Amino acid sequence: MQRLYRKRIVLGVGGGIAAYKSAELIRRLLEHGAQVRVVMTRGGAEFITPLTLQALSGHPVHMDLLDPAAEAAMGHIELAKWADLVLIAPATADLMARMAQGMADDLLTTLVLATDATVAVAPAMNQAMWRDPATQANLELLKSRGIQVFGPASGSQACGDVGLGRMLEATDLAWCAAESFKRQALTGKHVLITAGPTQENIDPVRYITNHSSGKMGFALAEAAAEAGARVTLVTGPVHLPTPDRVSRIDVVSARDMLAACEAAKPCDLFIASAAVADYRPEVVATQKLKKDPTTGDGMLLQMVRNPDILATIAGRADRPFSVGFAAETEHLLDYATRKLKDKNLDLIVANDVANPSIGFNSEENALTVIDRQQHQTLFAQTSKGKIARQLVAFIAERLNQVQ
């Protein structure tokens, strides 16, 4: 259940009597650290009030596709991007039929079409409706499109019938939601990841650094752990909690980071997402530097190159599969391609940090991955957590092809 920690779950509530279980499901998801937003159909609101689910989730319940306040910011698209999982519970026969036909006639079905998150349904209906060939055909169609199905269970139903069609209990659904994040593409692999900025001291008070927050690297570490890897995260100074099941090593300077990476080897995969300072002051003053009246308004610092961590690790005879990041403000793909070749990398991840919505300290990212054959793969803008899982899955596929 730890896999639910910090996951973003949109809970879709359809129009069935089992909607009363959605209240308990919200509680279970929150208990395990998930963030929950609720989208209800009109039918769902007939069985349980939006106010109840708002009070439990701590957020307004979304119902209207054409809500003027939400649509000003394209509310359904924002929810679609926000979600790591869209869980529809209860999923009625009607709702499953509309999903199977790709309809977008309310907020929930529109969100399902707009999201690239995992979508899961928890069927809830009368046993005869569940057995009907039309429902079973819709079920198979949804499965063929990658939609996960949680349940149903068998037992007494509200109508008095007994059989398959009961929605799973809240505890079981929370467990299924946690399992949906289980990825094992990196089982048995040691993944070494660098994250955050480095700091290069000028004197005991001042240093040179950059704006990297470490969010992307930490998201990658979490995604790699979810994929079954043993993860070592070497990070510069950041204010982020350590992801679950990740071994963290804190460093300050580029030389510290290289030493920590060397000590953490051997590894199967090296992902260098840290924003490492290229230069450091040649001499670090032992006392705070004072203004020198003889130099006027200027101050000269003699700088020397830092070791290139990525090129060093990727250049070893026992090199791991090596993935670099190119954070650029111009000529993004040209500079990234050059870095891929110069540093002997397997993949380079290009990130346009001039765009404030996906630059340093942002909550979202959009990336282009380039391989040695100069094939480009675009990852559209979404949350860093979601794009990290997409990127780790892509890297794992490439890694497993060469090992």
Side-chain angles (χ1 to χ4, degrees), residues 1 4 25 28-29 32 169-179:
M1 300 292 276
L4 290 175
L25 177 56
R28 294 287 169 257
L29 294 172
H32 295 290
E169 299 303 317
T171 300
D172 297 326
L173 285 175
W175 183 86
C176 289
E179 286 296 293

Side-chain angles (χ1 to χ4, degrees), residues 3 5-8 82-85 117-118 180-183 216 219-220 222-224 226-227 379 383-395:
R3 296 187 188 94
Y5 181 63
R6 290 191 297 173
K7 296 300 187 297
R8 297 173 170 182
W82 179 84
D84 295 315
L85 170 68
T118 298
S180 73
F181 292 106
K182 187 176 181 180
R183 301 288 185 270
M216 192 68 233
L220 287 167
E222 183 173 18
E226 286 178 1
F379 292 83
S383 71
K384 286 184 174 177
K386 189 186 300 182
I387 210 166
R389 287 190 288 275
Q390 295 171 356
L391 184 56
V392 164
F394 179 87
I395 294 170

